[in-house]
Amino acid sequence: MVDPQRGHEVAYNRWYERDHIYAGCMVGPGWFAGRRWVATRALKDLRFPEAGPVAEPVGAGSYLATYWVHEPEMEEAEAWARTQVGELYAAGRGFPEREHVHTGQYLPDATSSAHEDGVPLELALDHNYRGLVSVMIEPADATKRDDAIAALHAGPVRELLAKGGVDQVSSWRMKPWPADHNVPMKMGNDGGTMDRIMQLCFLEGDPTESWQQIIDYAADVEKSGAGRVTFAAPFIPTEVGTDKYTDQLW
């Protein structure tokens, strides 16, 4: 999740879309799907809570890039990315006028769908989802992480999916950066404790139309005793090949 510096919105969008998404990610070993999302000012205004470990301030982070990596090749993909990014920057193909708000690697734990035969998680970035909500949850102090995930997917997640706004919810665990991780930019805030649960909620429609469902979901998470939401943020997909939304970020 990244912010371009003000005045560089169009240049950043074009650099990432026309160069970096491919040269810095998709041509690497194991990288098999990728999609970019954007949060306009109106979408940022929906985020909650006001303070947390992901975005500081809560409105930071205009663009979100999500990638799927073939898990058996993850170490190779990670090593390739470190070398590739360094070489791209050395060749003048970086973009210093940007700031990472939060960047991390996550491994999948659980996925629930609103439909018995819904979109597989592996296809979620290629499916034409019109909205994505990123949710970060810290498990309750007395709750083991695996127990929290099981409780969430058996209760609050199932209830959220039944309301019709969200099509699928996946829960993920943080994968620590390796000790020799070295890239030519700061990676942003840490996002919370190592026990955090990062969730991706994919929607067929505009997230603003069902945002009350996300607010209610956060309340249900806390009522369940499994944990508490530390970040909830809606995004919509970028329109590839255009500069749409670059004038709506602030």
Side-chain angles (χ1 to χ4, degrees):
M1 188 165 64
V2 173
D3 265 330
Q5 292 180 10
R6 299 197 184 208
H8 296 271
E9 296 89 348
V10 171
Y12 170 76
N13 182 60
R14 293 186 177 193
W15 166 78
Y16 202 103
E17 183 177 88
R18 302 180 184 192
D19 188 2
H20 193 64
I21 191 172
Y22 300 106
C25 301
M26 293 301 296
V27 301
W31 300 70
F32 69 90
R35 192 165 195 186
R36 294 182 68 223
W37 312 81
V38 61
T40 62
R41 180 70 264 173
L43 289 173
K44 292 176 185 177
D45 288 344
L46 298 176
R47 294 179 179 179
F48 67 87
E50 282 296 321
V54 180
E56 193 176 327
V58 70
S62 301
Y63 286 98
L64 176 68
T66 51
Y67 297 97
W68 292 165
V69 176
H70 188 216
E71 194 167 341
E73 297 177 86
M74 193 159 187
E75 301 306 322
E76 181 184 359
E78 185 179 87
W80 172 87
R82 290 199 304 272
T83 300
Q84 183 77 348
V85 169
E87 291 180 354
L88 288 172
Y89 266 73
R93 290 172 65 184
F95 197 92
E97 295 84 12
R98 61 172 171 155
E99 181 177 353
H100 283 244
V101 176
H102 174 68
T103 299
Q105 303 176 110
Y106 290 85
L107 297 170
D109 278 324
T111 302
S112 295
S113 175
H115 307 283
E116 184 176 347
D117 188 21
V119 177
L121 180 62
E122 293 84 354
L123 302 184
L125 298 186
D126 292 316
H127 183 67
N128 191 33
Y129 280 120
R130 305 315 298 160
L132 172 69
V133 177
S134 175
V135 178
M136 201 76 79
I137 298 171
E138 288 290 349
D141 291 339
T143 304
K144 293 182 179 179
R145 190 179 183 283
D146 290 345
D147 293 339
I149 291 175
L152 289 171
H153 281 263
V157 169
R158 178 179 296 180
E159 294 168 12
L160 174 62
L161 293 171
K163 295 177 180 178
V166 176
D167 188 63
Q168 72 166 282
V169 178
S170 55
S171 294
W172 305 72
R173 66 187 182 277
M174 180 72 176
K175 181 182 184 296
W177 294 110
D180 60 348
H181 182 69
N182 183 27
V183 291
M185 78 286 287
K186 295 180 179 179
M187 303 305 280
N189 296 324
D190 61 12
T193 70
M194 286 303 299
D195 285 335
R196 83 192 73 162
I197 300 166
M198 191 274 287
Q199 292 186 326
L200 296 178
C201 306
F202 290 97
L203 296 80
E204 297 283 11
D206 190 315
T208 59
E209 298 173 357
S210 52
W211 192 244
Q212 186 60 48
Q213 294 181 16
I214 301 298
I215 294 173
D216 294 341
Y217 172 65
D220 290 342
V221 168
E222 191 156 356
K223 288 178 185 175
S224 74
R228 62 183 179 86
V229 171
T230 60
F231 185 65
F235 296 86
I236 54 177
T238 60
E239 297 292 339
V240 178
T242 77
D243 295 320
K244 190 174 181 179
Y245 304 120
T246 56
D247 61 345
Q248 300 177 41
L249 305 182
W250 319 117

